[in-house]
Amino acid sequence: MTTQNLECELKAAVSPETLARVREACLACSTGEAPTARPKEVYSIYFDTKDRRLARAGLSLRLRAKGKSWQQTLKSGRVARSGLNAVEETEQIRSEPTPDLEGVHAPDGCAVLDIIGRKRLHPLFETRVARTAVPLTLSTGTVECCFDQGTLIAGDRQAPLCEIEIELVSGSVRAVYEAGIQLLGGAPARFDLASKADRGHALADDRARAKPLAFRTSRIPAGQRGGAIDVIEHALGYYADALATNLHLTLTSPDPEGPHQLRVTVRRLEALLWLMRGVIRRETYREIKSLGRALRQAVALLRDADVLIDEILPAAMDAADQADMAADLSAWREGLRSEVRRALQASKSTAQVLTLLKTARFADWRPIKADASQAVLLPFRQVAAPRLQAQWQRLTADGLSVSSREMFDRHDLRKALKRFRYAGELIHQNDMSSGDQASSTAFLQAIKTLQTKLGRLNDLDVIAARVPVDLPAKSGALIEARLEAYRQSKTSAAKRWLKEADTLWADAKDLPWPWPT
């Protein structure tokens, strides 16, 4: 007998310690009948042809031991959206661990036997997992939380598996998010996870498993472009995915790109909120604004430490000085990293990002008031461009040059230009018309160049404030002396940068406005 179903799940890779802690919390609030903490052994074998015809067609074939029989599962049509994975499953019960694809079809209607042709199926890899399955009933539906710890095996190669899967059993998909929000809290969890089949193929082919990388948000991939409602929904989901990835990297890796890209993503999200204020539902606006502020503040000191150690000190000190204090600087940065991680976990940042993913998935940001509801139906450019133009008029209204401004004024101008550019890029990337793309590209590039120049000036202005106060006295004094000497050596360069910034600012103000409505 063949059965078909649509599986919808939230999958997170976690450490063994996190898995054990979350499992115990889940067991404590289980709504199932006599849940047990004793895991069940789950053994699965994955099949494909030697030339990977199933994988190339987006299919995976698995046989899983079920007592004295085997459950054959063909998975297809896998879609990852807003942190969730949805996949179609076709299941059969087999008496032997040999696949039978007679009468089984892919989502496009093609018979799977036609896909593999004359090629034979071979067992390529297997998984051996200790699984604890816990049912949870929430107000919106019932889910099954599976805690898997084990091994992926392909010949003589092995890779560890440690995952939490929250799968919808009945009710609304909201229940999957709500269970994740309730259970994961501030846990370091990776959601951008390849399927077991994809990881098994990589292991069988002896391909190195991709390391987690920071999620860069310089360009949103094309979605449904044009309408404000579509752009907001697409951008929120994209930024939420980026926050989840960069948050996990910050919580688990020393890679400085984690906290850096986390802050960049927050800034871009805030630019979207700023453009759509009054259009997005007020309570949603406040929640996202609060999340962004908390994330930025949490990682600010760590990001400053990364800039000091990796960028400023190499330019200000010789290699011998850096080597002398390397241990002190490393210990100082690691201490900051630990503080940041504790703060992020205490604020339940993972749960907050999952809440944002849920908001994007179900469009919970959509306004209730009639005028705002009408605004989201307009083209995005028609809603956003007038707001951005009004901001540009405020920025240029005082007529001041860069060099005539006080230090903090220049700093405020740089931050305002950064938000302005991020907002302008949203219009540029989601504009259906192409006639003025060259004009908007030139305009945004001019703003970016000026912003970068102001950033270099700001680094010199605040360089004294970057001296760590909690380093040993010898290292602190040496850094202070070297940074001051570096600042003095850049005095003439700073004057030149100011003149260049004046020219850039004047040129930018003379550029034609690129987004007429």
Side-chain angles (χ1 to χ4, degrees):
M1 180 178 178
T2 300
T3 61
Q4 293 183 315
N5 62 76
L6 179 65
E7 180 183 79
C8 183
E9 66 181 11
L10 175 71
K11 182 179 294 187
V14 296
S15 68
E17 295 77 18
T18 297
L19 184 137
R21 177 167 48 80
V22 176
R23 180 180 58 203
E24 292 308 309
C26 187
L27 284 164
C29 59
S30 169
T31 53
E33 296 182 4
T36 174
R38 185 176 181 180
K40 178 182 178 181
E41 294 298 320
V42 178
Y43 173 53
S44 303
I45 309 171
Y46 289 76
F47 292 80
D48 205 337
T49 61
K50 288 186 176 180
D51 58 355
R52 309 297 191 264
R53 293 199 175 189
L54 291 179
R56 286 191 278 121
L59 307 173
S60 70
L61 179 64
R62 179 190 74 199
L63 268 80
R64 173 170 291 171
K66 289 281 187 180
K68 294 183 179 181
S69 60
W70 294 80
Q71 184 179 60
Q72 174 180 290
T73 303
L74 180 79
K75 295 195 175 190
S76 57
R78 186 173 187 263
V79 176
R81 180 189 170 203
S82 299
L84 294 194
N85 296 299
V87 62
E88 296 180 34
E89 294 184 336
T90 302
E91 297 180 336
Q92 292 177 326
I93 297 298
R94 304 278 297 141
S95 59
E96 305 265 343
T98 55
D100 178 11
L101 296 175
E102 186 70 38
V104 180
H105 291 77
D108 61 2
C110 180
V112 178
L113 284 177
D114 290 340
I115 293 175
I116 64 175
R118 295 178 178 273
K119 300 289 185 176
R120 292 182 58 191
L121 292 169
H122 299 272
L124 296 182
F125 51 90
E126 60 188 51
T127 60
R128 295 180 180 272
V129 170
R131 165 171 288 188
T132 303
V134 184
L136 279 183
T137 299
L138 301 98
S139 60
T140 51
T142 300
V143 300
E144 183 176 64
C145 304
C146 296
F147 300 88
D148 292 350
Q149 188 170 1
T151 308
L152 183 66
I153 305 165
D156 59 355
R157 291 185 288 274
Q158 297 187 4
L161 289 172
C162 193
E163 300 171 1
I164 298 173
E165 294 180 3
I166 303 174
E167 183 178 344
L168 181 66
V169 176
S170 63
S172 169
V173 177
R174 288 180 182 271
V176 178
Y177 284 108
E178 289 168 7
I181 291 166
Q182 176 180 323
L183 294 174
L184 292 173
R190 183 183 179 189
F191 301 113
D192 61 330
L193 196 61
S195 68
K196 287 185 178 75
D198 289 338
R199 283 175 282 162
H201 279 297
L203 188 66
D205 296 341
D206 200 18
R207 288 183 275 120
R209 183 179 176 185
K211 293 182 179 180
L213 298 175
F215 194 131
R216 298 174 181 272
T217 53
S218 56
R219 184 169 183 83
I220 297 179
Q224 291 181 295
R225 299 163 64 185
I229 193 169
D230 299 319
V231 172
I232 295 170
E233 182 173 332
H234 187 62
L236 277 179
Y238 179 74
Y239 291 144
D241 285 339
L243 286 178
T245 299
N246 294 325
L247 174 62
H248 173 261
L249 199 61
T250 301
L251 287 169
T252 59
S253 168
D255 186 349
E257 278 297 290
H260 175 49
Q261 293 302 328
L262 187 65
R263 293 183 76 192
V264 171
T265 304
V266 167
R267 294 292 190 192
R268 290 188 179 276
L269 179 59
E270 289 174 338
L272 173 68
L273 292 179
W274 172 64
L275 278 179
M276 294 293 105
R277 186 170 186 174
V279 176
I280 291 175
R281 191 179 297 181
R282 183 179 299 176
E283 55 267 34
T284 303
Y285 177 93
R286 289 173 177 168
E287 289 171 3
I288 298 176
K289 191 77 173 175
S290 176
L291 168 62
R293 187 185 306 113
L295 291 176
R296 277 194 290 106
Q297 291 175 347
V299 301
L301 289 178
L302 178 57
R303 175 58 187 160
D304 288 346
D306 289 335
V307 170
L308 175 67
I309 295 172
D310 299 330
E311 299 176 26
I312 296 177
L313 289 182
M317 305 176 69
D318 58 35
D321 283 341
Q322 291 181 66
D324 284 345
M325 65 182 65
D328 287 344
L329 287 172
S330 178
W332 170 63
R333 177 155 58 176
E334 285 309 306
L336 285 177
R337 198 183 312 281
S338 296
E339 290 179 20
V340 166
R341 289 172 176 172
R342 283 194 293 269
L344 289 170
Q345 291 177 308
S347 65
K348 298 187 175 181
S349 52
T350 300
Q352 292 185 63
V353 171
L354 280 172
T355 301
L356 179 58
L357 285 164
K358 178 167 72 78
T359 297
R361 174 69 177 256
F362 295 104
D364 291 339
W365 57 268
R366 292 187 185 181
I368 299 173
K369 293 184 178 179
D371 55 345
S373 297
Q374 291 299 312
V376 300
L377 300 178
L378 297 172
F380 181 72
R381 172 172 170 168
Q382 187 174 334
V383 178
R387 299 179 179 212
L388 196 61
Q389 189 170 23
Q391 173 66 5
W392 182 245
Q393 290 168 350
R394 285 192 291 270
L395 285 172
T396 58
D398 58 21
L400 293 175
S401 65
V402 173
S403 57
S404 64
R405 299 170 186 261
E406 296 292 334
M407 178 183 72
F408 292 112
D409 248 359
R410 290 200 303 269
H411 182 51
D412 288 342
L413 176 63
R414 181 183 66 86
K415 291 192 295 183
L417 287 172
K418 181 182 290 189
R419 183 178 69 174
F420 180 91
R421 177 170 68 85
Y422 288 164
E425 287 173 350
L426 277 170
I427 300 176
H428 177 81
Q429 294 169 15
N430 293 282
D431 193 350
M432 293 297 289
S433 63
S434 58
D436 53 5
Q437 288 287 298
S439 173
S440 59
T441 298
F443 189 86
L444 291 169
Q445 184 57 52
I447 299 300
K448 183 177 182 179
T449 303
L450 173 59
Q451 174 199 320
T452 301
K453 191 73 64 177
L454 290 173
R456 296 177 73 181
L457 287 164
N458 182 70
D459 285 343
L460 281 183
D461 287 337
V462 300
I463 201 166
R466 293 188 181 274
V467 179
V469 296
D470 47 357
L471 278 180
K474 180 181 177 182
S475 293
L478 181 57
I479 289 177
E480 185 174 7
R482 293 295 186 269
L483 289 183
E484 176 58 25
Y486 177 74
R487 188 185 67 80
Q488 293 289 345
S489 73
K490 293 295 183 181
T491 300
S492 59
K495 291 178 181 178
R496 184 177 72 253
W497 296 343
L498 271 174
K499 290 181 180 179
E500 292 170 352
D502 279 340
T503 301
L504 290 167
W505 184 222
D507 290 347
K509 288 190 286 187
D510 287 340
L511 287 171
W513 182 250
W515 303 294
T517 54

